[in-house]
Structure formats: structure tokens, C-alpha cells
Amino acid sequence: MLYHLLYPLHTDFIVFNVFRYITFRTIYAILTAFLISFLLGPWFIRKLAQMQVGQYVREDGPQTHLKKAGTPTMGGSLIITAIAAATLLWADLTNFFVWIALLVLIGFGLIGFADDYLMQVKKRSKGLSARGKLVLQTVLALLTGALVVMHPGFSTQVTLPFFKTVSPNLGWWYVLFAAFVIVGASNAVNLTDGLDGLAIGPVIIAAATYMIFAYVAGHVKIADYLQINYVAGSGEIAVFCGAMIGAGLGFLWFNAYPAQVFMGDVGSLSLGGSLGAVAVITKQEIVLALVGGLFVMEALSVIFQVGYFKMTHGKRIFRMAPLHHHFELKGWPEPKVIVRFWIIAIALALISMSTLKLR
Ligand code: 57M
């Protein structure tokens, strides 16, 4: 909005020229989103506590988690508000991809919200059914994929990291592929969200990586120099990613161990879905498995554990899945698991960024 209001003034006051630059607007989107979630955090947490939106903690999990019962959850609503507000303030609102990112953020947020609301406010023990959630996620992700594919000039080729000449063209199958990326990312972040700051840290790291990818993919000269897919208009997604970073940092202030608030499904599903959407828009889809490698590790630990458990009628590979519980049960203190997982996420993000050059 500020771009539309203030940039036109540059003909009279040259200083307003800065609103043209994606880099400038991205920095201020980070700061704006941070301030919104940081400043509104205490009030929001008090409201959640008053509404008794307190976490129920399963008794079959690690015993150290029992003391977390009653921690306010659904903090993701504040993250979404901060991201949406900062994006609306700083992005170019005539940009199609900005609205796609907001659609996924808010749409997946509403699915998570419905689940949390049924569970926390209506005290229905299970919330939405797993199948119901998956159907809603898939429908929304398919719609997103179709909208993107119909956008003039959007390529249905898939970028393979490390291979600059191989990029298979999926045609209309790209819609299915995009939906898989978005739904997969959404659920993988959800599974990771089981220790204080464990999900939001790597979400911030992944958003920072995609902020760079978006800038590069949307810049015709840099994209050409690096020989990556140029996606006209995707540069504005850097502003959205910036808003994710800022909102995430503000939330982490309160979600840091020992957490005063959890993000809930409203946060994990929407943040994961948004990362998936951003990966699709910037045409760095496959590398998301590396950028978000930590989320993939957590999801694979569940798939292998559940598969093995069923095959062997009760035997386990890990002490407990998702993977973070395994290390907790091995006796690692919670902050150690969290920080070590963040370190892995940073290393994976750096390797992912190197794929821009290693091709
Ligand atoms: C959500 N939710 C947390 C909080 C957060 C298929 C199966 C593996 C699914 C999996 C599952 O349900 N995962 C998705 C994980 C929960 O956190 C809430 O959920 C929101 C995210 N959706 O925002 O609102 C608990 O996580 C802890 N937490 C923190 N700090 C945070 O910042 O400490 C969350 C955020 C919170 C709190 O304790 O209550 C969760 O873990 O429930 N299921 C599991 O993860 C279960 N695993 C399991 O059953 N494994 C089995 C195999 C055979 C399937 C096994 O390995 O034996 C575990 N979860 C729990 N207890 N709580 C194990 C049992």
C-alpha cells in the first residue's frame, strides 16, 4: 500500500524513489512484521489465556512435556496477521504472486484455525479429522497450483538443483506437483512443531533462503547470469518472505524455551503451506526438500516409524517419532535438541543457496 501511496510522490520528492526498490521494502516488511508480532504478543497471549485456549498435552509423550499443559496456543493467528499486514503495507499489490502467497497463508491458516478452534475452544478432543484436514489442504493447494499455471508466462518446467540443463516440463501435471509441494511442506512443518521454537526457527531460516531465491528469480539480469528460471514478478515475493522472517522472529521471542505460547495448527499449517507456495512461485520447488531438510527428516522419521511399527506389529526404529522426541527420550535437554536442529537447518540452507552456483 505504501508503495502505491508514496512511490508516485518521487516526481516531486526524489527521496520517495526508495519505495521502488524491493530490497528497501523487504527490509521494512521484516521490521514491520517483527514489531507487530513482538508488540502485540503480550496482549495476544493474555487474550488467549483468558479465552482458555490452553494446550492439552498427551500423556503418552515425553514426560517432560506434561508441565507444558495449559500453555496458550493458536499464536499462529498473530504470525499470520503480522505477515499479512506487513505484506499489504510494503508489497506491490498489483502483483499476482503476492496475492497467491496471501491466499495460501490465510487459506491454510483457516484450516489450521478450524482444527485448533474445535480442539481448544469447543474442547472437541480431536479437532478436524486427519482426512478432513488433508482434503481441505489438497483442494486449496490444487486451486493454487491451477491459478499459478494459468498465469501468463509461468513455466511448468521443474528446476532440478545441481542440473542446469535438465528441467522436465510437466505441463498440466504441474498443478498436481505444486499441490504436493504445498501440502507436503504444510504437514512437515506441522510435525516438526513439537518443541519450543523448533518449527519457527527453521521456518525463519527457510524464509530467508527463499527471500534470496525470490529476489534472484525476479531479477532478469541476475537470473540470466546464474542461468536460473526467470519468473517475472516473483521478486515481490521477497517482501512476503521478509514479512515471514519478521513475524517469525517476533513470535520466537515468546515461543523461545520455555515457551509462553505455541503457534498451533493455525501457525504450522499456514507457514508450511506458504513455504511450499513460495518454492513453487520462485521455481525452486525441488530444492525445498533441502532448504526445509529438517522438516523432511522429521516427516520421514514418522513415515518410517509408522511403517515399521505396522509391519512388525509394534517394533520401533526410533524411541518415538517425530525425530525430536527420539532425542528427548535419549536424555538430551529440550534446548539442546532445538538449537542443534537449528544448526542443521542453517547448514542445509547454506548448501541450498550454493545450488545457485553449483550447477
Ligand atoms: C502435531 N503437536 C504437538 C501445539 C503446536 C502420525 C503422528 C506421528 C502425528 C504426530 C502429530 O500429531 N503431530 C502434529 C504435533 C503438540 O503441539 C501442538 O500442536 C501444534 C502444532 N500442530 O503448535 O499447539 C505438543 O508439542 C509440544 N510443543 C512444544 N513447544 C512448541 O512450541 O513443546 C509444541 C510447540 C504440545 C507440546 O507438548 O502439546 C505434539 O507433539 O502433540 N504425533 C505425534 O507427534 C506423537 N507421536 C507418536 O504418537 N509416535 C508414535 C508413532 C508410532 C506414530 C511412536 O513413535 O511411538 C507424539 N506426540 C505427543 N505425544 N504429544 C507422541 C506422543
Side-chain angles (χ1 to χ4, degrees):
M1 219 175 289
L2 292 178
Y3 169 72
H4 303 284
L5 288 176
L6 299 179
Y7 176 58
L9 302 181
H10 78 280
T11 43
D12 295 320
F13 304 97
I14 189 76
V15 61
F16 288 108
N17 213 15
V18 291
F19 285 91
R20 211 182 88 197
Y21 298 106
I22 289 175
T23 42
F24 174 80
R25 288 184 285 112
T26 301
I27 292 171
Y28 278 88
I30 299 176
L31 292 171
T32 308
F34 171 71
L35 283 177
I36 295 174
S37 59
F38 176 72
L39 294 177
L40 294 185
W43 169 82
F44 195 77
I45 295 170
R46 268 199 313 277
K47 278 275 161 234
L48 289 173
Q50 276 167 14
M51 287 160 64
Q52 299 193 324
V53 186
Q55 182 71 46
Y56 157 78
V57 175
R58 279 171 53 170
E59 280 166 14
D60 54 353
Q63 294 302 300
T64 48
H65 281 247
L66 294 178
K67 62 178 186 295
K68 293 171 184 255
T71 306
T73 183
M74 296 177 83
S77 331
L78 181 59
I79 307 180
I80 295 179
T81 309
I83 299 175
T87 305
L88 291 174
L89 269 180
W90 294 102
D92 170 0
L93 300 181
T94 60
N95 183 289
F96 169 77
F97 295 124
V98 167
W99 291 104
I100 290 290
L102 288 173
L103 168 78
V104 172
L105 176 82
I106 294 169
F108 276 73
L110 286 175
I111 300 172
F113 186 89
D115 192 36
D116 288 335
Y117 184 81
L118 289 176
M119 212 160 12
Q120 310 293 345
V121 183
K122 292 282 175 199
K123 310 288 177 207
R124 239 173 67 175
S125 62
K126 285 260 187 265
L128 287 178
S129 70
R131 183 185 293 237
K133 239 188 315 191
L134 192 62
V135 169
L136 289 173
Q137 286 177 308
T138 308
V139 169
L140 184 55
L142 285 171
L143 172 73
T144 308
L147 287 172
V148 170
V149 166
M150 284 188 296
H151 184 65
F154 190 82
S155 154
T156 49
Q157 281 181 313
V158 177
T159 311
L160 295 184
F162 304 112
F163 297 95
K164 89 177 132 210
T165 46
V166 193
S167 46
N169 193 338
L170 300 187
W172 276 99
W173 290 105
Y174 192 90
V175 176
L176 272 187
F177 169 71
F180 174 76
V181 172
I182 296 170
V183 173
S186 176
N187 289 315
V189 172
N190 185 34
L191 287 174
T192 308
D193 189 26
L195 298 181
D196 301 349
L198 186 68
I200 197 67
V203 162
I204 294 170
I205 295 161
T209 310
Y210 273 98
M211 181 176 74
I212 294 169
F213 284 162
Y215 185 76
V216 166
H219 194 295
V220 72
K221 285 197 185 130
I222 304 180
D224 181 54
Y225 169 69
L226 292 171
Q227 299 190 3
I228 59 164
N229 251 309
Y230 165 63
V231 187
S234 68
E236 284 297 320
I237 288 299
V239 179
F240 178 82
C241 290
M244 278 179 85
I245 298 172
L249 288 171
F251 173 75
L252 180 58
W253 189 275
F254 305 104
N255 182 234
Y257 181 85
Q260 295 156 266
V261 66
F262 298 154
M263 67 170 76
D265 275 20
V266 57
S268 57
L269 295 185
S270 64
L271 290 172
S274 301
L275 282 177
V278 162
V280 167
I281 293 168
T282 55
K283 302 232 51 80
Q284 296 289 345
E285 314 92 339
I286 305 268
V287 82
L288 178 60
L290 196 58
V291 179
L294 192 86
F295 305 126
V296 175
M297 258 165 49
E298 293 267 27
L300 286 180
S301 74
V302 169
I303 293 170
F304 289 136
Q305 178 91 327
V306 174
Y308 192 71
F309 188 86
K310 284 190 178 152
M311 255 166 47
T312 58
H313 304 290
K315 284 197 187 150
R316 291 181 164 82
I317 304 174
F318 304 103
R319 295 189 184 190
M320 191 184 280
L323 196 58
H324 51 263
H325 287 319
H326 172 76
F327 291 106
E328 273 194 294
L329 293 179
K330 273 184 76 165
W332 293 18
E334 183 174 341
K336 204 174 198 82
V337 182
I338 300 160
V339 174
R340 286 188 171 167
F341 276 37
W342 286 353
I343 294 171
I344 296 172
I346 293 173
L348 290 171
L350 290 172
I351 299 171
S352 311
M353 279 189 246
S354 78
T355 64
L356 287 176
K357 270 283 172 201
L358 281 181
R359 289 150 58 82

